[in-house]
Amino acid sequence: DTEVTQTPKHLVMGMTNKKSLKCEQHMGHRAMYWYKQKAKKPPELMFVYSYEKLSINESVPSRFSPECPNSSLLNLHLHALQPEDSALYLCASSPLPASGPSGELFFGEGSRLTVL
Amino acid sequence: KNEVEQSPQNLTAQEGEFITINCSYSVGISALHWLQQHPGGDIVSLFMLSSGKKKHGRLIATINIQEKHSSLHITASHPRDSAVYICAVGTSGSRLTFGEGTQLTVNP
């Protein structure tokens, strides 16, 4: 199994809703990432979990709350989002942190979020 | 100046042509990634390089660490190669710095 699975693929939510994005991999990867991508722009790093511990938070607003319940799962909890948070949210994993020579990245298909 | 610069930004080719996309970076890196993103958003990792050259099918990636430059080549291009190609470099910790991407269109 060489997949990173993200659910849901599409999500529409109001500004007062609470929802979650989920990401799962069964490749034994120890680094997992959340990226945000706006149209025609490269992905922007949001969070990195390394060995199930949050190692990087790129000054992301607290309305985004990551969670790594175990080494295979990564969640992104969403609350009180703004319309400008509408974007493609990509999850990725790598055997080891991707800055190193063993850090080949595997991306999920993304969750396209629309905030009304 | 961005830490990772890609060229060209847009590239249109005819089927069968040889294609080169370039990536220059200005920081010390531990690894360089070439990624392919299709219109739906799906991203596929094509190569990860820390030195030399790698080949996979019609794709070839090279890196010159001294010159801080990498190239992605596509031989015998095909319309299904149409996508955005992104260069990303691994710097400190687990960070990747992304280039702005190259939009490739291959016409039949």
Side-chain angles (χ1 to χ4, degrees), chain B residues 38-50:
Chain B
H38 285 278
D42 193 15
I43 294 182
V44 175
S45 175
L46 299 175
F47 294 103
M48 189 185 69
L49 296 161
S50 53

Side-chain angles (χ1 to χ4, degrees), chain B residues 50-69:
Chain B
S50 53
S51 64
K53 175 180 174 178
K54 287 189 176 179
K55 184 176 189 292
H56 185 253
R58 296 180 293 107
L59 302 177
I60 303 166
T62 63
I63 187 168
N64 185 318
I65 298 293
Q66 287 75 27
E67 294 186 4
K68 294 190 164 74
H69 181 268

Side-chain angles (χ1 to χ4, degrees), chain B:
Chain B
K1 187 180 191 298
N2 292 337
E3 291 180 334
V4 181
E5 298 266 356
Q6 282 186 240
S7 63
Q9 287 185 326
N10 293 281
L11 179 56
T12 300
Q14 288 301 120
E15 184 172 355
E17 285 185 358
F18 180 83
I19 287 162
T20 296
I21 300 171
N22 295 300
C23 176
S24 296
Y25 52 91
S26 57
V27 294
I29 70 168
S30 50
L32 181 144
H33 300 254
W34 280 104
L35 309 170
Q36 179 192 54
Q37 186 168 33
H38 285 278
D42 193 15
I43 294 182
V44 175
S45 175
L46 299 175
F47 294 103
M48 189 185 69
L49 296 161
S50 53
S51 64
K53 175 180 174 178
K54 287 189 176 179
K55 184 176 189 292
H56 185 253
R58 296 180 293 107
L59 302 177
I60 303 166
T62 63
I63 187 168
N64 185 318
I65 298 293
Q66 287 75 27
E67 294 186 4
K68 294 190 164 74
H69 181 268
S70 176
S71 293
L72 176 68
H73 306 285
I74 305 175
T75 61
S77 60
H78 191 276
R80 65 175 175 267
D81 297 325
S82 298
V84 176
Y85 291 83
I86 303 171
C87 170
V89 299
T91 53
S92 64
S94 300
R95 282 184 179 80
L96 289 181
T97 302
F98 290 82
E100 292 289 316
T102 296
Q103 172 68 61
L104 171 65
T105 303
V106 182
N107 293 318

Side-chain angles (χ1 to χ4, degrees), chain A residues 27-100:
Chain A
M27 295 177 278
H29 290 176
R30 303 315 298 272
M32 295 185 76
Y33 311 77
W34 279 116
Y35 289 90
K36 173 184 177 180
Q37 188 178 27
K38 302 285 269 185
K40 299 193 185 300
K41 290 292 184 184
E44 299 171 26
L45 182 65
M46 300 175 72
F47 302 104
V48 180
Y49 274 82
S50 181
Y51 298 93
E52 295 107 69
K53 288 190 175 9
L54 183 64
S55 59
I56 294 177
N57 175 344
E58 292 287 80
S59 302
V60 178
S62 60
R63 58 186 185 269
F64 295 92
S65 174
E67 179 197 19
C68 187
N70 59 58
S71 59
S72 299
L73 291 174
L74 184 66
N75 298 321
L76 186 64
H77 302 299
L78 315 170
H79 175 53
L81 294 193
Q82 304 295 311
E84 59 264 28
D85 296 322
S86 298
L88 180 68
Y89 288 84
L90 291 158
C91 175
S93 71
S94 61
L96 292 169
S99 60

